[in-house]
Amino acid sequence: MHGPAATATPRTMLADLTPAGVLDLAETCVRAVAKVTGITLDYSHETLPVLDHYVRTLAKSERAEVNELVAATVGAYFGEVVRRHLGDWLWRSEDGAYMGWRLEFSKCIMQFNPIGVAVEALTAGDADGWAAHLELRSEDEPHVARAIDRGGLV
């Protein structure tokens, strides 16, 4: 096979499934982390410790506008890692309404807000209303447990 399809990376092929606003924020995170750490994130789960280090270095900021921007970019990147690694997740997002963003698993009712996870990481505490934790129906719990057993943790 020759041409662009032969050289397409999983990153570019999977990015086609991501809303433009989410991808823009995630790519902003990639650039910011590279500038601070010298390491380019590649959407693999192996890069999450680098992202965690980046968040810890910025978590000391008391400027709300910095935390808001960092949470949006870090959350978008983290969400993309989850979506790309586990598959079958869909973004539900509206421009600028980050508190309402969700990644939803299509085979069962399970969702979380990756930006909420970033808010909690930056503030080192619970972020009420951000839906940062996985939410699912009790009848779906065994299915999720089996999927985690098969796919491993991110």
Side-chain angles (χ1 to χ4, degrees):
M1 184 191 274
H2 300 287
T7 59
T9 63
R11 179 176 170 177
T12 56
M13 288 185 294
L14 288 170
D16 293 343
L17 302 174
T18 305
V22 173
L23 191 56
D24 288 345
L25 287 169
E27 287 295 315
T28 298
C29 180
V30 170
R31 288 188 300 276
V33 170
K35 185 175 181 179
V36 170
T37 67
I39 299 170
T40 301
L41 303 177
D42 64 2
Y43 295 90
S44 67
H45 66 276
E46 289 89 357
T47 61
L48 293 178
V50 176
L51 185 66
D52 187 52
H53 171 75
Y54 172 75
V55 168
R56 282 192 221 162
T57 63
L58 297 177
K60 297 174 180 96
S61 173
E62 295 186 20
R63 293 179 24 210
E65 64 275 7
V66 170
N67 283 343
E68 184 177 329
L69 176 62
V70 171
T73 61
V74 167
Y77 178 83
F78 173 66
E80 272 301 285
V81 171
V82 169
R83 188 186 69 76
R84 293 173 189 207
H85 181 69
L86 296 179
D88 209 19
W89 288 79
L90 299 172
W91 278 101
R92 301 286 182 226
S93 62
E94 295 179 24
D95 289 339
Y98 301 135
M99 196 175 234
W101 284 24
R102 300 286 185 274
L103 264 179
E104 297 176 353
F105 194 69
S106 65
K107 292 189 180 187
C108 64
I109 297 178
M110 182 170 63
Q111 63 182 9
F112 77 104
N113 184 341
I115 296 174
V117 173
V119 168
E120 289 190 353
L122 285 163
T123 61
D126 289 338
D128 292 334
W130 279 94
H133 306 280
L134 284 175
E135 301 169 4
L136 66 148
R137 298 181 310 184
S138 59
E139 60 265 27
D140 288 330
E141 289 177 9
H143 304 292
V144 172
R146 282 195 298 278
I148 290 172
D149 287 344
R150 282 193 306 271
L153 296 174
V154 174

